[in-house]
Amino acid sequence: MAIRYPNGKLWKAKQNVANPVPVEIQYSNRGMTLEDDLNETNLYYRENGIAVIHKKPTPIQIVSVDYPKRSAAVIKEAYFKQASTTDYNGVYKGKYIDFEAKETKNSSFPLKNIHDHQIEHMKAVLEQNGICFLIIRFTKLNQIYFLEAEKLMHFWERQKNGGRKSISHQEIVECGHHIPLGYCPRVDYISIIDKLYF
Amino acid sequence: MAIRYPNGKLWKAKQNVANPVPVEIQYSNRGMTLEDDLNETNLYYRENGIAVIHKKPTPIQIVSVDYPKRSAAVIKEAYFKQASTTDYNGVYKGKYIDFEAKETKNSSFPLKNIHDHQIEHMKAVLEQNGICFLIIRFTKLNQIYFLEAEKLMHFWERQKNGGRKSISHQEIVECGHHIPLGYCPRVDYISIIDKLYF
């Protein structure tokens, strides 16, 4: 098992002098996707009674299913469907929590990573006073930000009105909230929710 | 080709006129499953800005996927997984809403319709002060009830302590809340939530 420092950096007993890993890759590619990190974070929240938040299953359009005798049904033909909501939701202190998580290799966040349906869903959640946001990881910088859905809407509108098709890193630094990488939990977004909403 | 629900039950497009279904079943089977009715209800709630509640996609274990050139990815082998949470969740007036929906042809509600994982999930939601419940349809009587998760836990514990493996219709009438069938929305469970929690 890989052992890591609280900041997520891999701990190594010895440097491999014969094949030194380039410093940039060591920092940027921790071998875990944002989804992995969030699944572990959510598991930590659930196991410690902090919050109940799950990733929703990927929506699938099933076309054909076989029912072999005395065996489990086998799906023989199916297709991925576009999600009509965000990927994560759940409950924290009675409040509804809803978010989408995206990582980008770019130096800005491309708005095409979010679908129209998801924007409509987020607006509807905000109208119901749900807590709704985006978690963005800039993989090259290995930085993670929490961006409230209200602020995402501002950049979405700017794009609709002919403005830029992405949110710059600088804008996210200014409008969003940096989530420091931890060990347990890895991506402690609840600490941001505590500051902003409670 | 036979069309089946994920649970393997055969779907029928039309009543067979040569073999008419007895009247009793005709009333109870409106040609809509509880799931259909709840999907329409949730659509009504969303379109009218009342609540944002969705059914979660069925969880699928994907084993093999084909990527034909210039076409969408095709899932070639996959299996249904047991859900680790309830099927429906969302937000109403900022509060987290979470429920499972089940129909039974029996005159009582068999507790085997609910899995251990779902019970654990419901307990965790209650600890986070979420609004959590069960919607039960007795198909023969065509009656629908709202049963708070706290009350379900009572019957679950009774079973664990060697008691009956079901909840009788009479117990549900006494402990639960009858949801009258409507047209729009069909199964107005939010009206019960309003009475109980707001």
Side-chain angles (χ1 to χ4, degrees):
Chain A
M1 199 195 88
I3 301 171
R4 288 170 193 278
Y5 291 104
N7 66 0
K9 217 176 100 181
L10 207 62
W11 176 80
K12 285 187 187 170
K14 279 180 201 171
Q15 295 290 345
N16 185 339
V17 183
N19 283 307
V21 178
V23 171
E24 188 193 338
I25 294 177
Q26 241 182 7
Y27 279 109
S28 64
N29 180 0
R30 297 165 56 246
M32 297 278 283
T33 63
L34 179 55
E35 184 179 326
D36 292 333
D37 280 345
L38 286 169
N39 286 345
E40 284 207 13
T41 299
N42 290 336
L43 185 64
Y44 174 87
Y45 287 153
R46 292 198 302 272
E47 286 184 342
N48 291 279
I50 294 164
V52 181
I53 292 160
H54 285 268
K55 183 174 189 294
K56 292 186 191 174
T58 308
I60 306 276
Q61 180 70 50
I62 296 169
V63 176
S64 136
V65 184
D66 253 22
Y67 296 90
K69 273 184 191 164
R70 276 184 270 267
S71 304
V74 190
I75 299 161
K76 286 297 202 183
E77 187 187 352
Y79 298 88
F80 295 102
K81 284 199 294 188
Q82 199 177 77
S84 56
T85 66
T86 47
D87 270 358
Y88 298 85
N89 75 358
V91 57
Y92 175 59
K93 294 182 180 168
K95 295 280 279 177
Y96 178 72
I97 307 294
D98 189 298
F99 64 96
E100 183 64 27
K102 291 289 179 195
E103 42 192 353
T104 179
K105 289 174 184 168
N106 297 11
S107 50
S108 64
F109 178 73
L111 285 164
K112 66 166 191 237
N113 283 1
I114 310 286
H115 308 297
D116 282 335
H117 279 324
Q118 293 180 316
I119 292 288
E120 291 315 310
H121 172 72
M122 288 176 143
K123 281 183 186 167
V125 168
L126 290 178
E127 273 168 30
Q128 281 299 324
N129 291 315
I131 295 173
C132 192
F133 54 95
L134 200 62
I135 293 180
I136 300 169
R137 169 182 275 164
F138 290 99
T139 53
K140 280 189 188 151
L141 299 165
N142 201 21
Q143 288 178 351
I144 303 182
Y145 290 91
F146 179 116
L147 185 70
E148 294 136 283
E150 293 90 337
K151 291 177 180 167
L152 171 63
M153 296 311 154
H154 161 77
F155 297 111
W156 190 262
E157 289 302 315
R158 182 177 69 180
Q159 172 194 234
K160 264 179 61 181
N161 296 328
R164 63 179 289 171
K165 291 175 168 41
S166 64
I167 315 175
S168 75
H169 178 264
Q170 186 56 33
E171 286 170 332
I172 289 174
V173 170
E174 282 166 15
C175 298
H177 310 273
H178 181 248
I179 311 178
L181 260 178
Y183 179 62
C184 235
R186 286 175 187 276
V187 184
D188 189 13
Y189 60 87
I190 290 281
S191 67
I192 310 289
I193 291 177
D194 271 333
K195 269 190 263 181
L196 294 175
Y197 303 95
F198 287 92
Chain B
M1 196 198 86
I3 300 173
R4 289 170 191 277
Y5 292 102
N7 66 3
K9 217 175 96 183
L10 207 62
W11 176 78
K12 285 184 191 171
K14 276 183 198 165
Q15 295 289 347
N16 185 337
V17 182
N19 285 306
V21 177
V23 171
E24 187 196 337
I25 294 175
Q26 243 178 9
Y27 277 110
S28 64
N29 181 358
R30 297 162 59 242
M32 297 278 283
T33 63
L34 180 56
E35 182 179 328
D36 292 332
D37 281 344
L38 286 170
N39 286 345
E40 285 208 12
T41 300
N42 290 337
L43 185 63
Y44 174 87
Y45 288 154
R46 290 198 302 272
E47 286 183 343
N48 291 279
I50 294 165
V52 181
I53 292 161
H54 286 268
K55 183 174 188 296
K56 291 186 193 173
T58 308
I60 305 276
Q61 180 69 51
I62 297 169
V63 174
S64 133
V65 184
D66 254 22
Y67 297 91
K69 273 183 192 166
R70 278 184 271 267
S71 305
V74 191
I75 298 161
K76 286 297 200 183
E77 186 187 352
Y79 298 88
F80 295 103
K81 282 200 295 186
Q82 199 176 78
S84 55
T85 67
T86 47
D87 271 359
Y88 298 86
N89 74 358
V91 58
Y92 175 58
K93 294 182 180 169
K95 295 279 280 176
Y96 177 72
I97 306 293
D98 189 299
F99 65 97
E100 183 64 29
K102 291 289 179 194
E103 42 193 353
T104 180
K105 290 173 183 167
N106 297 11
S107 50
S108 63
F109 178 74
L111 285 165
K112 67 167 188 236
N113 283 1
I114 310 286
H115 307 297
D116 282 334
H117 279 324
Q118 293 179 317
I119 293 288
E120 292 315 311
H121 172 72
M122 288 175 142
K123 281 183 187 169
V125 168
L126 290 178
E127 273 168 31
Q128 282 298 323
N129 292 314
I131 294 174
C132 191
F133 54 94
L134 201 62
I135 294 181
I136 300 169
R137 170 182 274 164
F138 290 99
T139 53
K140 282 188 186 153
L141 300 165
N142 202 20
Q143 289 177 351
I144 304 182
Y145 291 91
F146 179 117
L147 185 69
E148 293 137 281
E150 292 90 336
K151 291 176 180 167
L152 170 64
M153 295 310 154
H154 162 76
F155 297 111
W156 190 263
E157 289 302 313
R158 182 176 69 179
Q159 172 195 236
K160 263 179 60 181
N161 296 328
R164 62 180 290 172
K165 292 176 167 42
S166 65
I167 315 175
S168 76
H169 178 262
Q170 186 56 33
E171 285 170 333
I172 289 174
V173 169
E174 284 167 15
C175 298
H177 310 271
H178 181 249
I179 311 177
L181 260 178
Y183 178 61
C184 235
R186 285 175 187 275
V187 184
D188 189 12
Y189 60 86
I190 290 281
S191 67
I192 310 287
I193 292 177
D194 270 334
K195 269 190 265 179
L196 294 175
Y197 303 95
F198 286 94

